[in-house]
Amino acid sequence: MGFTLSDWLVYTMMAVFGLMIIDFVIAFIKTFWKGSFNLTFMLDYLKDVLFYVAPLYIIVTLSSIDPTGWIMKVFYIILGIAVSLKYLMDIVKKFK
C-alpha cells in the first residue's frame, strides 16, 4: 500500500467500483425479496458505468498530455471522490 499520487488513482477507482457493487447488491436483494424482480435496475448500473466510470478513465488517459503531470490526476481523484459520495448517499437512502 503506497501513498503516491498514482496509488491514490487506483484506490479511487477501487472505491468507485466497490461502492457501485455494494449498491447493486443491496438493490438486487431488495427487488428479489419483494418478488418484483425487474431487470431495468441493472440497466441503471450500466448507464452509471457509461456516465461516471468512462469519463474517469478518459481523464486518466489524458494525464499523459498534462504538462505538470499532476493536475489531471488530482482532477480525477476529486471526481472519483464525488462519484463515491454519490454511491454512498444512494446506499444510505436505500436503508431509510
Side-chain angles (χ1 to χ4, degrees):
M1 182 170 158
F3 293 106
T4 64
L5 193 57
S6 298
D7 291 333
W8 281 104
L9 297 176
V10 175
Y11 302 148
T12 304
M13 189 55 80
M14 284 195 296
V16 167
F17 278 126
L19 289 170
M20 185 184 283
I21 289 170
I22 290 170
D23 191 41
F24 174 77
V25 168
I26 291 169
F28 180 78
I29 290 172
K30 281 191 165 195
T31 59
F32 184 77
W33 287 112
K34 276 185 189 175
S36 63
F37 186 73
N38 194 356
L39 294 177
T40 57
F41 82 94
M42 288 184 187
L43 296 176
D44 291 333
Y45 291 98
L46 289 175
K47 281 193 266 182
D48 286 351
V49 168
L50 181 65
F51 292 142
Y52 299 132
V53 177
L56 287 175
Y57 180 72
I58 291 170
I59 289 171
V60 130
T61 57
L62 288 177
S63 67
S64 63
I65 63 170
D66 182 17
T68 62
W70 60 271
I71 292 175
M72 293 303 281
K73 291 178 183 176
V74 170
F75 187 57
Y76 169 86
I77 290 171
I78 291 170
L79 292 178
I81 290 171
V83 172
S84 298
L85 287 175
K86 179 237 185 253
Y87 279 113
L88 200 57
M89 289 180 183
D90 287 348
I91 291 169
V92 169
K93 266 191 241 175
K94 286 184 181 171
F95 283 116
K96 287 186 176 181

